Amino acid sequence: MKEVFVVGSLTVTKYTVDSFLCNMYVVTSEKGLSAGSALVIDAIQSDEAWADLKAAGISVLTVILTHEHFDHTTGVNWLQENFDVHLIAHEACGRKIRLPRNNRSLSIMGMDADSQKYRYYPPYACEVDTMFHEDTCIEWCGLDLNLICTPGHTAASCCIGLAQCMFVGDSALLDQPTLTRLPSGSQKDFDEITLPILKTLSSDITIFPGHGKVYRMGEVIYQGDRFQCISALKGE
C-alpha cells in the first residue's frame, strides 16, 4: 500500500507493508530525479517501491534509519542488493544492526515461525556507511538534511528534518504513547530531551511516523501521553 504526499518541492511516497504496518518513505526532488537519486527513510522490502524507483530511473539511494528495530531495517540488505546505497544511522544503531543476533524478528516480537499472519525474517547483519552520535546537518540535493538525536524509544532514535518534513520513526506516533520499555529505551530521555524538541516544531511541519498516519503539527496537541488530533478531541 502506498500514499503520495507533496510538501513544497518534495514528493514523499509512503510504503506500508507486512502485518507490522511499518512505513518506509521515499523522498524525491526535481534535482534528485535528474541525478537518478532519492532519499529513503527506514528500509522495508517492497516490490511496489522497487518498481516505482526503477520506473523513475533512480539508481542511487541515501538511506537513513530512524532507529535499530528490525521492522525498520529488514529492507536494508535488499536495497543494497538492488541500488547504489549510502546507509546512514546513529552510531548506537549501527553497532547493533551489525550483529545478526540483534536483528531477529521473532525474538523481539514473541512470534513463532509457523505463524501465517507474520512474515518470518531470519537473522541478518547490516553495515552502515556513515554514523553520527550528535545532531548533524548534511546536504542532500542542495537541501539541508538535519539528523536530530531524539532518545526515548531507543537510545539510538533520531528524527530527520528536511524542509517542511520531519521523519520521526517511533518517537511520535499519532494517538499512541511512545514506547520506551524496550532495551535502551528511556521515558526520562523522552520526556526531558525528545518531547521538548517535538513540541517546539512549527505548525506547518508535516510529521511522517514509522507507523500509522501522516499528520501536521498544527493539527495535533500533546495531551496525556500522546499526540492527538485536535478535531477528534473536539468531537468534530
Side-chain angles (χ1 to χ4, degrees):
M1 180 174 67
K2 75 176 181 180
E3 294 180 79
V4 179
F5 304 85
V6 177
V7 183
S9 64
L10 302 175
T11 298
V12 183
T13 305
K14 181 179 85 166
Y15 296 91
T16 305
V17 302
D18 287 348
S19 46
F20 303 120
L21 298 179
C22 41
N23 299 329
M24 174 174 71
Y25 297 99
V26 175
V27 185
T28 57
S29 69
E30 288 187 9
K31 185 175 180 180
L33 286 173
S34 65
S37 65
L39 172 69
V40 175
I41 308 297
D42 289 337
I44 54 180
Q45 187 167 337
S46 165
D47 293 338
E48 189 172 25
W50 184 91
D52 289 347
L53 289 166
K54 291 297 185 181
I58 293 171
S59 59
V60 178
L61 298 177
T62 298
V63 180
I64 307 178
L65 303 178
T66 60
H67 62 293
E68 69 272 24
H69 289 160
F70 84 94
D71 52 335
H72 299 268
T73 66
T74 53
V76 167
N77 293 329
W78 170 75
L79 287 175
Q80 290 174 332
E81 290 168 1
N82 289 280
F83 300 91
D84 180 2
V85 169
H86 187 87
L87 182 62
I88 302 172
H90 188 283
E91 184 178 17
C93 172
R95 290 198 308 267
K96 288 190 175 183
I97 64 176
R98 187 179 292 148
L99 302 175
R101 68 171 181 266
N102 294 324
N103 303 314
R104 296 176 295 176
S105 59
L106 300 187
S107 66
I108 295 174
M109 302 300 291
M111 305 166 191
D112 64 73
D114 295 326
S115 171
Q116 297 300 306
K117 186 177 180 182
Y118 298 102
R119 180 188 294 181
Y120 170 64
Y121 292 97
Y124 55 91
C126 304
E127 287 295 330
V128 176
D129 299 299
T130 298
M131 293 189 284
F132 61 96
H133 65 276
E134 59 185 5
D135 293 355
T136 302
C137 181
I138 62 176
E139 182 183 350
W140 177 77
C141 290
L143 299 171
D144 286 338
L145 189 58
N146 294 293
L147 310 178
I148 306 165
C149 298
T150 51
H153 180 60
T154 72
S157 291
C158 71
C159 291
I160 299 109
L162 179 66
Q164 298 305 108
C165 303
M166 183 67 75
F167 301 89
V168 298
D170 289 0
S171 294
L173 306 184
L174 186 63
D175 294 324
Q176 295 184 45
T178 298
L179 183 64
T180 59
R181 66 176 182 270
L182 296 176
S184 87
S186 168
Q187 188 65 46
K188 183 175 184 292
D189 283 349
F190 177 77
D191 290 340
E192 296 182 1
I193 301 173
T194 296
L195 188 55
I197 293 172
L198 296 171
K199 283 184 172 181
T200 56
L201 294 176
S202 63
S203 61
D204 60 345
I205 296 292
T206 301
I207 302 297
F208 295 91
H211 302 268
K213 295 181 179 180
V214 173
Y215 60 93
R216 286 177 59 249
M217 284 304 294
E219 300 170 338
V220 302
I221 187 172
Y222 192 83
Q223 184 164 297
D225 60 356
R226 67 198 68 189
F227 287 97
Q228 301 180 64
C229 287
I230 296 171
S231 59
L233 292 172
K234 292 181 177 179
E236 298 176 1

